[in-house]
């Protein structure tokens, strides 16, 4: 006996499920996990160091343990909610953005902050020496751990009142938030850890915090709600075709609803452009292009030798409103394990798994090319990379010579589709399996719906 056909609602549900799964395969993941920096995070350390009559004194530290995502100007902004009626008497190394209502305190000077949900920002460089702390006063800028660990730390001191005065009565703040400077970071709950030890004097003695909590914050481009900010173009000596960034990689020109979404280099509008304020990153004003990205990275396969091959990589700033200081590039390619020379950038291997060395981070040389100027100044940085060939893996076929992924300042750049890569002459153009399978599944699901709906 033939099996009974599935009910129509069930068949429709199955087809819709297949369609959803296929479409999800076509969308790049933007969650908080980054396979190239799997343990990257910003850790906030809250060290209670001394009890006072009505509370305690603490040192709060921010450690940027991310390998290549830094915090640029106008810098970080740290917030939290007090567990009880706590307030801040004094601070050093940073300040709250608002004092709040301190009318209940009849003292001079008044408390620094009486808000139940304070927000703290770093001091700017040049703050009075009496208000400074170690690792403070950088305008909230934090380097990445992989690029400049010495400048990947920020600290400030805070004296808290109306708080517990013993290890059993003191309460840690809750609901930590971190803006860097916009959204994107999600902070977990504070967890008590072993007390921090501090080296004092001549380095032969240590002291210990009375109590220590850690808070871990991770970044997600999805939480940030940001569209892509960079794209990749590909070219080679063996093919005259330049594969430019995908159309509308970062947005599309819209002359009807937003007539100044982009400008042409000689536009009179440029003379009236006013840079953004010091508290927010200005919305990009980019040079008109088909991709509309503020940053364009080009990977050019330049030359082929007997035992080596050469690549030229160029990052171009198409944003008229923003310089990129302390920029960095991350590229993933299997031949990075045999990189012999990089000519104009600093370089560091990124090897998070200990066995696969296929990712490298590049950044500018201080005072030479560590500042990527705006589009108005034709801003670009470039370097050449020389790779030694591995006879077992090297080939120019099937797009092998091009990177698998590229990041600029920690943001994943939009790559061209694999079937568009510059191929060797007479090579057949065909879709890669990673794209073919989802498309086949999409069309199968649509055909199933048409037949059985």
């Amino acid at each position: 006996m033939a099996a009974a056909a599935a009910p129509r609602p069930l068949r429709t549900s199955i087809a819709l499920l297949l369609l959803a799964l296929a479409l999800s395969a076509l969308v790049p993941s933007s969650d908080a996990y980054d396979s190239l920096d799997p343990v990257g995070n910003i850790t906030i350390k809250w060290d209670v160091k001394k009890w006072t009559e009505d509370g305690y004194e603490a040192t709060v530290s921010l450690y940027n343990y991310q390998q290549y995502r830094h915090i640029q100007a106008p810098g970080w902004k740290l917030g939290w909610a007090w567990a009880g009626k706590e307030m801040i008497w004094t601070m050093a190394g940073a300040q709250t953005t608002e004092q709040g209502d301190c009318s209940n305190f009849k003292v001079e000077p008044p408390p620094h902050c009486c808000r139940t949900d304070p927000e703290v920002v770093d001091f700017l460089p040049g703050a009075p020496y009496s208000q400074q702390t170690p690792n403070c006063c950088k305008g909230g800028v934090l380097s990445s751990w992989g690029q400049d660990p010495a400048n990947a730390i920020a600290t400030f001191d805070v004296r808290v009142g109306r708080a517990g005065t013993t290890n059993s009565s003191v309460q840690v703040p809750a609901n930590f938030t971190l803006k860097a400077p916009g959204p994107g970071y999600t902070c977990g709950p504070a967890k008590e850890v072993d007390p921090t030890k501090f080296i004092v004097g001549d380095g032969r003695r240590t002291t210990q915090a009375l109590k220590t909590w850690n808070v871990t914050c991770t970044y997600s481009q999805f939480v940030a709600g940001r569209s892509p900010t960079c794209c990749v173009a590909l070219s080679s000596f063996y093919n005259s075709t330049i594969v430019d960034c995908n159309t509308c990689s970062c947005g599309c020109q819209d002359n009807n609803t937003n007539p100044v979404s982009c400008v042409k280099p000689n536009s009179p509008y440029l003379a009236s452009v006013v840079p953004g304020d010091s508290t927010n990153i200005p919305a990009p004003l980019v040079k008109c292009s088909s991709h509309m990205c503020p940053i364009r990275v080009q990977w050019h396969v330049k030359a082929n030798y007997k035992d080596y091959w050469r690549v030229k990589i160029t990052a171009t700033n198409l944003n008229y409103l923003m310089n990129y200081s302390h920029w960095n590039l991350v590229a993933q390619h299997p031949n990075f394990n045999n990189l012999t020379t990089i000519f104009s950038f600093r370089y560091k291997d990124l090897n998070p798994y200990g066995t696969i060395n296929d990712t490298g981070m590049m950044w500018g040389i201080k005072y030479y090319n560590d500042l990527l100027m705006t589009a108005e100044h034709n801003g670009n940085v470039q370097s050449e990379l020389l790779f030694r060939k591995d006879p077992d893996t090297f080939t120019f076929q099937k797009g092998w010579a091009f990177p698998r992924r590229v990041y600029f300042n920690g943001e994943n750049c939009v790559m061209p589709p694999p079937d568009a890569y510059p191929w060797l002459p007479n090579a057949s153009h065909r879709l890669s399996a990673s794209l073919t399978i989802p498309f086949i599944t999409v069309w199968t699901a649509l055909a199933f719906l048409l037949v059985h709906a």
Side-chain angles (χ1 to χ4, degrees):
M1 178 181 292
R8 180 174 295 178
L10 178 59
R11 297 199 303 268
T12 302
S13 299
I14 293 174
L16 291 174
L17 179 60
L18 286 172
L19 183 62
L21 289 173
L23 291 174
S24 67
L26 297 174
V27 179
S29 173
S30 297
D31 56 17
Y33 177 76
D34 184 349
S35 60
L36 299 185
D37 189 13
V39 296
N41 68 82
I42 293 182
T43 296
I44 302 162
K45 188 179 289 289
W46 192 286
D47 291 309
V48 177
K49 301 176 74 172
K50 179 182 178 181
W51 304 117
T52 62
E53 292 182 357
D54 66 338
Y56 61 88
E57 294 179 3
T59 295
V60 182
S61 306
L62 288 78
Y63 294 87
N64 184 11
Y65 289 129
Q66 298 173 113
Q67 288 296 312
Y68 47 80
R69 181 173 289 108
H70 60 257
I71 297 178
Q72 59 193 12
W76 55 264
K77 184 182 293 185
L78 179 65
W80 64 81
W82 292 117
K85 297 182 179 181
E86 294 93 336
M87 38 72 71
I88 299 174
W89 281 114
T90 58
M91 289 189 70
Q95 61 187 349
T96 60
T97 56
E98 295 183 28
Q99 182 186 35
D101 182 7
C102 295
S103 58
N104 291 331
F105 295 88
K106 312 298 183 182
V107 294
E108 287 294 337
H112 181 83
C113 180
C114 300
R115 290 186 61 91
T116 60
D117 55 348
E119 260 189 342
V120 175
V121 294
D122 192 13
F123 279 141
L124 296 173
Y129 184 79
S130 60
Q131 298 180 24
Q132 294 184 23
T133 60
N135 300 307
C136 85
C137 313
K138 294 176 285 189
V141 174
L142 279 183
S143 297
S144 63
W145 199 261
Q147 186 171 344
D148 186 4
N151 288 304
I153 306 169
T155 62
F156 60 88
D157 294 335
V158 57
R159 181 186 170 199
V160 182
R162 297 203 300 191
T165 57
T166 64
N167 276 359
S168 58
S169 62
V170 68
Q171 293 180 287
V172 66
N175 301 329
F176 279 86
T177 60
L178 178 63
K179 297 178 182 178
Y185 284 91
T186 302
C187 300
K191 296 182 179 180
E192 186 172 354
V193 296
D194 293 338
T196 303
K197 292 184 178 180
F198 304 93
I199 299 175
V200 296
D202 58 6
R204 296 180 296 171
R205 169 179 164 79
T206 61
T207 59
Q208 182 172 300
L210 303 173
K211 204 174 187 71
T212 298
W213 291 281
N214 276 2
V215 177
T216 302
C217 303
T218 54
Y219 180 83
S220 166
Q221 190 171 339
F222 178 78
V223 174
R226 299 176 62 180
S227 59
T229 57
C230 58
C231 62
V232 179
L234 306 173
S235 58
S236 67
F237 71 90
Y238 54 78
N239 192 316
S240 60
T241 301
I242 297 177
V243 179
D244 205 353
C245 295
N246 296 342
T247 301
C248 296
S249 292
C250 302
C252 298
Q253 295 186 40
D254 189 351
N255 295 326
N256 295 325
T257 60
N258 189 9
V260 293
S261 60
C262 70
V263 292
K264 296 180 179 179
N266 297 323
S267 170
Y269 176 75
L270 278 177
S272 63
V273 170
V274 177
D277 59 44
S278 61
T279 59
N280 293 287
I281 294 179
L285 181 65
V286 301
K287 183 183 295 185
C288 290
S289 65
S290 61
H291 54 79
M292 294 291 287
C293 290
I295 295 293
R296 177 183 181 267
V297 179
Q298 182 168 357
W299 179 285
H300 176 66
V301 180
K302 185 175 181 179
N304 182 33
Y305 312 110
K306 179 180 178 181
D307 297 317
Y308 300 89
W309 62 292
R310 184 184 292 256
V311 166
K312 181 179 180 180
I313 188 168
T314 304
T316 303
N317 184 5
L318 302 175
N319 188 351
Y320 284 102
L321 294 182
M322 187 172 180
N323 296 320
Y324 293 88
S325 59
H326 308 294
W327 58 269
N328 65 58
L329 277 168
V330 172
Q332 185 180 36
H333 189 281
N335 216 162
F336 269 116
N337 62 345
N338 279 327
L339 177 67
T340 60
T341 306
I342 183 166
F343 293 92
S344 303
F345 294 163
R346 301 293 186 196
Y347 176 82
K348 177 183 179 181
D349 289 329
L350 294 180
N351 191 8
Y353 304 103
T355 56
I356 304 174
N357 182 14
D358 65 351
T359 307
M361 181 172 71
M362 296 157 274
W363 65 95
I365 298 171
K366 192 171 184 180
Y367 304 128
Y368 174 59
N369 59 359
D370 61 335
L371 177 63
L372 179 53
M373 299 292 288
T374 64
E376 184 178 3
H377 297 90
N378 298 315
N380 74 83
V381 290
Q382 54 188 292
S383 180
E384 294 188 3
L385 294 78
L386 188 66
F387 296 95
R388 180 185 293 273
K389 294 179 181 178
D390 182 344
D392 296 330
T393 59
F394 176 80
T395 179
F396 281 135
Q397 295 182 355
K398 301 179 181 180
W400 182 89
F402 299 105
R404 281 41 173 173
R405 280 189 284 183
V406 174
Y407 289 72
F408 180 83
N409 278 1
E411 298 294 330
N412 199 355
C413 300
V414 179
M415 297 286 298
D419 62 310
Y421 285 14
W423 291 65
L424 283 170
N426 300 323
S428 60
H429 292 247
R430 58 185 180 271
L431 284 173
S432 68
S434 62
L435 287 178
T436 303
I437 292 174
F439 278 117
I440 291 175
T441 310
V442 169
W443 286 110
T444 302
L446 290 175
F448 190 92
L449 280 174
L450 291 172
V451 173
H452 296 284

